[in-house]
Amino acid sequence: MIILQGTGISAGVVIARASLARERPLPVIEAHPSQLSAEAERTRLDQAIALTLKQLKKLRGKLDSLPDEARIEIDAMLTVYERMLTQSRLVRAAHQRLAEEGLTAEAAVQLESDILAARAGPQPGMPEEEIEGARRREGEFREVARRLLRNLTGVSFRAFSDTPSGSVLVAEQIRPADAAVIDPNRIAAVISEGGGATDHTAIMLRALTVPAVLAVPQLAEHVEEGSLVIVDGSSGRIVINPDSATLDEARSAMAEEARERKGIGRLRRLPSRLVSGEDIELLANIELANELPLLHRNGAAGIGLLRTEFLFDESEPLPDEDGQYEIYARLVADMDEMVTTIRVLDWGGEKGLARLRQLGIHDTQEEENPALGVRGLRLLLRHPEILETQLCAILRASLVGKIRVLLPMVSAVNEIQATRQIYERCARRLRRRGVKLPNELPPLGIMIETPAAALTAGALVRHAEFLALGTNDLTMYTLAVDRSSAMGSDLYTALHPGLLKLLRFSLDEALRAHRPICVCGEMAADSRSVALLIGMGLRSFSMSAASLPAVKRMIRSLSLEACDDLYRRAMLLEDPIELTQLVRDFAH
């Protein structure tokens, strides 16, 4: 018996035989001059691009046979690939190399894709919350290049059609295009040496609900064709040739899992309601359309926070109004009349620096501590042309479904007033262009992320239609602790008496002004902290889609009286360690 540990991607315990899928390797590509003319190499590249687009179109044709959630995920991925193959920076730069350096098409694609992937990938000092998106963007460049190179060299793609039904697919690397042709009704589980928790492949496998473990070291050395394998997609544990005791444990885990799946299925259809009858709104925070399947599967009531920074990847041209509108409209349409809260660009601090440099915007680069200077709405108001383009696109998308607009890092009334003037100016401009906007524009809300905003919430709320409590940054600024370096330590904790008082002050002002208020951030994803906040008086929470079932399960087990009691006891404590322990012990 051999036990290996990888990264659990998609939950599920499976016992099945291994089926090895091997891929023919690409030849070594060297940057030497071509024996053909530059025009001939350009023709070869253009033909490879056309063939790749044709293959992607064929992949789209397979979407009808996939689950709805997987179809949304794969369609979004293919759209990204198609955009990268049509007059993108990759294609333009490869053509330029052919003309100026006389390289082969293979060498031009390899060199440019390596450069762009390195720029798009994780950078030194990048905040933890940006690393996930950077890895995805890096993977997109490498996958598009791989498809082009296979078509240029004639090395065929692998197919999984001969994989025995009910087996565990074992591969050195599972790429997004591979995942697109995996039939979840035939393949019991997927394991590979490569990959990670945040790339497109992982997202797609989760959408397909195929149990999967990626990044398994030395997998190829230990597993053989037909080996009996236990795959635990939650823990990332792989057992090859298990003994009888381990098999019995796995069978018990599978039976428990089956009961749990039935429970989650029922939970999704049940209301998010306290046992005492009060309804609690549970929304989801998302960054990419790829996350919509999980949002729907876990029963979110809408999108409480759509981060839009992903649209402004520095490796691609700055998106214009039409480009942004298409993405917003597609996403809003998929929400089927549920609310979509779109946060405008939250650049600054450590976010979006490469794009800011490209645009020649140096506001944040000259500051010793960018987190305390020009970021979020402050930055956009200094460069209103970026904000105007985004607001116009959002306003157009509001014709498709229910939208709210959220402003980040607000600290003063004049910032909201200036933004509203731009907002209304954008609406007038669109109406002059013949866009029939509703008389009442989508609500304009603000994030409470600084102590100044919390303490002046009474003034701010008179100029905003709704509030969102951004507990991550609010904790950082209140406690003077950098959340990227101190996350997980005792210093960085939202369960601090000072922070709770700021939250309560903001809540009271919102209720006094009859304005909706929602909690966004990690605090909303902690079910026991949610119980505390319900006791405080909050009724709306937005969190990662993956956190929704646990929070909903806790809510359905609570009474308002229990939440009130927890909050009253919490406010009597002065020590954040004691406060944290009180909340952690709740409902145990």
Side-chain angles (χ1 to χ4, degrees), residues 2 13-20 167-168 170 189 191 219 222-224 226-232 237-242 247 250:
I2 298 170
V13 177
V14 169
I15 305 170
R17 298 286 175 181
S19 176
L20 276 57
S167 62
V168 175
V170 183
I191 54 178
L219 178 63
H222 297 294
V223 68
E224 298 177 352
S227 296
L228 186 63
V229 179
I230 298 174
V231 179
D232 187 336
R237 186 170 181 253
I238 306 293
V239 183
I240 302 166
N241 301 321
L247 274 173

Side-chain angles (χ1 to χ4, degrees), residues 559-573:
S559 68
L560 184 59
E561 183 181 4
C563 295
D564 286 342
D565 180 64
L566 175 63
Y567 175 66
R568 283 195 300 270
R569 285 189 290 144
M571 295 311 292
L572 294 175
L573 299 178

